């Protein structure tokens, strides 16, 4: 009986030791995975920061919307021209942000881009910012799937102003 207890205790110790070793091995494995995830998270944060710096360095107004036309990101030129901060528009629908000034051709361009076409709306007056824009609506492709639209707007107000001044000069010359 004492021998049986000793044998049982020894077997129990062997099983316990084996389980403890398995736990230690699995913990080491999970710690390695956790370190890799932390590095991936850091890399992702750095990539997001890099991309934001890249679009912020553009003089063009840039906005990115998802399939539901909710803003994902905007650049500093967009913020400056619209007088809206990114935290005021991100997650909000284009229709809600610019309800009074978005027109049918802009909505059509957004929908066409969501179907895969790149669309250009040349020289129109942006009511909300009181500037003239030339805008490109570009499908946002991720793994060959359209996930949204990149909206790139160029302020062409100075070009429009110069063209009008030139037309006035030409008219004056023709009248003389």
């Amino acid at each position: 009986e004492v021998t049986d207890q000793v044998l049982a205790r020894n077997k129990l110790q062997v099983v316990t030791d084996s389980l403890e070793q398995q736990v230690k091995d699995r913990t080491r494995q999970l710690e390695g995975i956790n370190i890799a995830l932390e590095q991936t998270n850091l890399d992702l944060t750095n990539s997001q920061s890099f991309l934001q710096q890249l679009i912020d360095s553009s003089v063009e107004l840039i906005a990115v919307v998802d399939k539901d036309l909710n803003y994902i990101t905007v650049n500093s030129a967009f913020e400056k021209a619209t007088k809206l901060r990114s935290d005021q528009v991100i997650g909000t629908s284009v229709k809600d942000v610019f309800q009074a000034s978005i027109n049918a051709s802009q909505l059509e361009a957004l929908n066409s881009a969501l179907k895969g076409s790149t669309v250009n709306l040349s020289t129109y007056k942006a009511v909300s910012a009181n500037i003239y824009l030339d805008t490109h609506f570009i499908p946002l492709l991720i793994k060959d799937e359209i996930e949204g639209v990149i909206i790139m707007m160029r302020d062409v107000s100075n070009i429009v102003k110069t063209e009008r001044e030139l037309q006035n000069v030409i008219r004056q010359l023709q009248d003389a």
Side-chain angles (χ1 to χ4, degrees):
E1 192 173 285
V2 171
T3 307
D4 289 342
Q5 285 179 351
V6 169
L7 284 173
R9 202 173 296 142
N10 286 344
K11 284 183 181 178
L12 183 60
Q13 188 62 47
V14 168
V15 170
T16 301
D17 290 345
S18 174
L19 284 173
E20 284 179 2
Q21 187 59 46
Q22 287 177 15
V23 168
K24 285 178 186 176
D25 292 345
R26 186 66 179 144
T27 300
R28 219 173 294 114
Q29 238 181 357
L30 291 173
E31 286 171 345
I33 291 170
N34 196 31
I35 289 169
L37 284 174
E38 286 173 359
Q39 184 60 49
T40 300
N41 212 7
L42 180 62
D43 292 346
L44 182 59
T45 300
N46 288 339
S47 292
Q48 288 172 327
S49 176
F50 169 76
L51 290 173
Q52 191 62 47
Q53 286 180 44
L54 186 63
I55 68 167
D56 279 341
S57 68
S58 176
V59 295
E60 297 198 8
L61 288 70
I62 300 174
V64 181
V65 296
D66 63 18
K67 290 180 187 179
D68 298 320
L69 303 181
N70 294 319
Y71 285 98
I72 297 171
T73 192
V74 297
N75 72 343
S76 54
F78 177 95
E79 291 177 313
K80 183 179 177 186
T82 62
K83 296 178 178 47
L84 295 169
R85 294 185 323 272
S86 62
D87 63 348
Q88 293 174 293
V89 296
I90 292 176
T92 307
S93 169
V94 170
K95 296 173 190 174
D96 291 338
V97 173
F98 294 107
Q99 53 188 276
S101 61
I102 194 163
N103 63 41
S105 60
Q106 292 166 322
L107 288 174
E108 186 179 319
L110 282 165
N111 288 322
S112 292
L114 285 172
K115 293 175 185 165
S117 298
T118 296
V119 179
N120 175 245
L121 294 181
S122 59
T123 313
Y124 65 92
K125 188 169 184 177
V127 177
S128 59
N130 200 28
I131 58 176
Y132 286 90
L133 295 172
D134 180 78
T135 304
H136 293 267
F137 299 84
I138 305 160
L140 173 62
L141 294 171
I142 300 174
K143 295 183 181 177
D144 296 327
E145 293 289 323
I146 297 171
E147 296 296 333
V149 179
I150 301 166
I151 307 166
M152 299 189 72
M153 299 162 273
R154 177 172 292 143
D155 181 349
V156 292
S157 299
N158 288 334
I159 294 170
V160 170
K161 179 183 175 192
T162 303
E163 285 175 351
R164 287 184 179 165
E165 289 171 353
L166 258 155
Q167 288 171 353
N168 285 337
V169 168
I170 289 170
R171 253 187 257 121
Q172 289 172 358
L173 287 172
Q174 288 173 340
D175 291 344

